[in-house]
Amino acid sequence: MSKDSTANIITVALTLCLVCSVIVSTAAVKLRPIQEVNKQLDQKINILKVSGQWQEDRNIEELFSAIETRIVNLDTGNFDDSIDLETYDQRKASKVNELSINLDKDIDVANINRRANFAKVFLVKEAGAIDKYVFPVHGYGLWSTLYGYVTLEKDLNTIYALKFYDHKETPGLGGEVDNLKWQSLWQGKKIFDENDQLAIKVIKGNVVPGNENEQYQVDGLSGATLTSDGVTNMFHFWMGEHGFQKFIHKVRTGEVL
Ligand SMILES: Cc1cc2nc3c(=O)[nH]c(=O)nc-3n(C[C@H](O)[C@H](O)[C@H](O)COP(=O)(O)O)c2cc1C
């Protein structure tokens, strides 16, 4: 058989395909645990940053040791220690029927369709006592679901920081949620008003200094009202009765902790 025969060409091409596919699949399988570890480290960095604990030159695990991770049952507001902290993935759980609930349209203000039954909360300690709480949150903007963390001061009302780590909003428009200047506007804003009603809102335009709702208002992202509304809705869902509100009330009344 000639070296350039059709059969020979096909054999060489097929062998090459087979060898390449084995290499690619082996690499994918071998790299998966490393990717998983990097993903978890990345989340730890996000949590350290949003809670003001991040220091570039310090070891991540060492810094994270000041943060206690607990799991909250969102329906009761109680901690649940029966779930494995290392393996629990809220994002994956929200896609599993047995681990999540379907949200009817009237309560699904953040447009997320399903909500996991359990959520992690991160307790930031100072001198052994809780100083801040970091909550994972997500909600739909214009093009995508925005995933992030909200840190609250120990009064569980005052916002310390907000940071997103995953979204597909348009750079320069909705993507401005990542702008540090905009993110800094959240510090000190209040979520609940004096009647304990959800009041936080990303408004259209700029907040008028001195107006009676200033402490609940954040400047809108210009040209991106839909993403801005998505952020407001996200807060209203996760700080509301189907989110962390039961937990928040129980901590405030001392029923939890
Ligand atoms: C290509 C393109 C990308 C856009 N991306 C966003 C976005 O990421 N977030 C958003 O709220 N609006 C985005 N918009 C604008 C919305 O369609 C809508 O006009 C806007 O949210 C209204 O906000 P405004 O009232 O502040 O102008 C985009 C528009 C275009 C044409």
Side-chain angles (χ1 to χ4, degrees):
M1 189 167 61
S2 139
K3 244 170 72 182
D4 298 330
S5 69
T6 311
N8 226 350
I9 291 168
I10 292 174
T11 311
V12 170
L14 285 178
T15 313
L16 210 74
C17 287
L18 194 72
V19 171
C20 289
S21 60
V22 168
I23 293 172
V24 171
S25 1
T26 312
V29 172
K30 290 259 181 239
L31 290 175
R32 198 166 298 145
I34 301 174
Q35 283 172 339
E36 203 44 53
V37 169
N38 283 340
K39 217 171 93 184
Q40 283 181 14
L41 274 181
D42 199 45
Q43 286 309 315
K44 285 182 176 170
I45 293 173
N46 285 323
I47 294 161
L48 288 167
K49 283 185 174 167
V50 79
S51 59
Q53 306 293 303
W54 173 243
Q55 295 173 47
E56 195 100 35
D57 52 349
R58 294 270 310 275
N59 177 280
I60 297 168
E61 296 298 348
E62 206 179 292
L63 288 173
F64 207 78
S65 65
I67 297 179
E68 187 187 358
T69 309
R70 300 287 301 268
I71 288 186
V72 168
N73 178 330
L74 292 170
D75 292 321
T76 62
N78 295 325
F79 285 126
D80 190 313
D81 295 323
S82 68
I83 292 168
D84 182 13
L85 276 174
E86 292 302 316
T87 54
Y88 184 67
D89 183 331
Q90 190 182 338
R91 211 158 148 171
K92 283 188 187 150
S94 67
K95 297 190 176 90
V96 180
N97 281 351
E98 300 75 49
L99 302 176
S100 61
I101 53 163
N102 185 52
L103 298 169
D104 287 338
K105 274 270 162 280
D106 53 327
I107 58 171
D108 187 15
V109 286
N111 210 354
I112 54 175
N113 300 322
R114 302 190 66 80
R115 191 219 64 194
N117 298 331
F118 298 93
K120 281 184 183 174
V121 292
F122 304 90
L123 315 175
V124 186
K125 304 277 184 79
E126 223 173 83
I130 298 173
D131 185 51
K132 299 186 191 78
Y133 296 79
V134 181
F135 297 97
V137 290
H138 63 283
Y140 205 79
L142 173 60
W143 308 113
S144 65
T145 302
L146 298 101
Y147 290 86
Y149 293 104
V150 175
T151 303
L152 300 188
E153 303 281 3
K154 55 176 173 278
D155 65 358
L156 284 164
N157 189 17
T158 309
I159 297 173
Y160 175 76
L162 166 69
K163 178 174 168 42
F164 293 102
Y165 61 86
D166 186 15
H167 68 80
K168 294 182 181 58
E169 301 301 282
T170 314
L173 293 170
E176 287 297 290
V177 290
D178 296 330
N179 185 320
L180 295 179
K181 209 169 147 204
W182 185 74
Q183 283 178 4
S184 71
L185 301 176
W186 289 86
Q187 186 161 24
K189 297 291 173 181
K190 309 275 184 208
I191 292 178
F192 304 100
D193 64 16
E194 56 273 23
N195 300 316
D196 213 19
Q197 297 300 305
L198 282 157
I200 188 78
K201 186 173 168 51
V202 183
I203 63 160
K204 203 170 158 66
N206 293 333
V207 176
V208 177
N211 92 81
E212 58 174 351
N213 291 318
E214 185 181 359
Q215 58 182 333
Y216 312 115
Q217 296 178 334
V218 173
D219 292 354
L221 296 165
S222 81
T225 300
L226 297 172
T227 304
S228 304
D229 289 348
V231 174
T232 301
N233 296 338
M234 178 193 82
F235 266 96
H236 284 231
F237 180 81
W238 286 104
M239 297 299 135
E241 58 175 319
H242 301 289
F244 290 105
Q245 205 174 70
K246 289 192 188 76
F247 170 74
I248 288 174
H249 282 164
K250 285 196 170 174
V251 175
R252 282 200 190 135
T253 57
E255 275 179 79
V256 156
L257 296 180

